[in-house]
Amino acid sequence: MSDEQLDPRVDAYIEKAAPFAQPVLAHLRKLMHQACPRATESVKWGMPFFLQQGVILAHMAAFKQHCAFGFWGPEMKKTLERNGLESNSAMGSLGRITGLRDLPSDRTLLAHMRQAADLVQSGQRTKSLDRARKSAKRAVRVPLELAAALKKNKLAAKSFSAFSPSCRREYAEWIAEAKRPETKAKRVSEAVEWIAERKPRNWKYMNC
């Protein structure tokens, strides 16, 4: 592993992480380079990423009470699901990681990390994101409650109009999914506040 493969921003990220998270992040980083000798590092959306030939292999992140590690690509998602490792409990593939004890064995992790790199090396994966083709763009249906709240906040309304369709859709669907009136009201209130600050729906994850 050469210095060119390492990104000093990842060192800084690990150093700033909570004490419980530092050994987890350092261990995952070590395994990634052990399994993927050609992998390089970068920081995107405030998180450390591992890439090969410009294609994202995986990312890791530290939060206040847990860490997350995620493989990228539909092929890896299917493999993890078959092996019972795919989790929806956190922003990653391995669920909420609160310590080294929560990680799969090194042997298991190394095998999956090598597979992620092999998929890129063999040409099966050539892009970080595989976007499905859309026959037609679906119009964003803004919930009435959100529309009414935006009318009362000019700054939020202006920001919302400037958002991309996908960003507006994330807010709209988040509010529409609320079952209870009080939950919907709370989400509308939070949404207007965040929109006025030009923050996307998942800004908390992006700012780690």
Side-chain angles (χ1 to χ4, degrees):
M1 177 173 54
S2 67
D3 292 339
E4 294 180 355
Q5 292 175 270
L6 302 178
D7 191 323
R9 294 175 297 173
V10 176
D11 293 309
Y13 185 93
I14 294 175
E15 290 175 2
K16 291 180 181 179
F20 83 89
Q22 292 179 10
V24 174
L25 299 176
H27 187 63
L28 289 168
R29 185 188 196 187
K30 177 183 177 181
L31 291 181
M32 276 298 303
H33 288 292
Q34 181 180 337
C36 315
R38 298 183 180 182
T40 58
E41 298 177 348
S42 185
V43 172
K44 300 175 181 291
W45 305 295
M47 297 177 284
F49 277 74
F50 301 96
L51 304 90
Q52 184 164 309
Q53 297 168 219
V55 180
I56 296 174
L57 301 178
H59 75 275
M60 62 183 185
F63 303 97
K64 291 182 179 180
Q65 297 181 337
H66 74 279
C67 300
F69 181 86
F71 289 101
W72 282 53
E75 299 88 354
M76 287 305 301
K77 181 177 177 63
K78 292 178 181 178
T79 297
L80 293 169
E81 288 176 345
R82 283 197 301 269
N83 296 335
L85 290 178
E86 181 67 13
S87 173
N88 294 320
S89 62
M91 190 185 64
S93 307
L94 308 179
R96 296 172 65 88
I97 305 169
T98 59
L100 291 171
R101 65 186 179 280
D102 293 332
L103 292 173
S105 68
D106 286 0
R107 182 178 179 180
T108 298
L109 284 172
L110 286 169
H112 285 102
M113 290 171 176
R114 291 190 185 103
Q115 181 179 357
D118 288 343
L119 287 168
V120 174
Q121 184 66 27
S122 65
Q124 294 182 63
R125 281 194 69 216
T126 58
K127 298 179 180 180
S128 294
L129 290 174
D130 296 320
R131 300 183 183 276
R133 293 183 178 180
K134 297 181 180 180
S135 57
K137 292 185 177 180
R138 180 164 50 94
V140 178
R141 294 184 178 181
V142 180
L144 296 177
E145 296 85 353
L146 177 59
L150 289 174
K151 286 184 179 180
K152 298 177 182 179
N153 189 316
K154 294 183 179 180
L155 179 59
K158 183 177 180 181
S159 298
F160 191 73
S161 298
F163 280 164
S164 65
S166 60
C167 192
R168 295 199 299 270
R169 184 173 291 107
E170 286 180 352
Y171 271 115
E173 291 179 349
W174 180 52
I175 292 171
E177 289 170 357
K179 303 298 182 183
R180 303 171 61 184
E182 53 268 33
T183 301
K184 181 169 292 188
K186 181 180 179 181
R187 290 186 180 183
V188 168
S189 177
E190 290 179 339
V192 171
E193 178 183 348
W194 297 341
I195 293 169
E197 296 173 358
R198 298 181 180 179
K199 293 178 178 178
R201 161 74 181 90
N202 293 309
W203 66 272
K204 292 182 179 180
Y205 294 134
M206 296 174 68
N207 293 326
C208 292

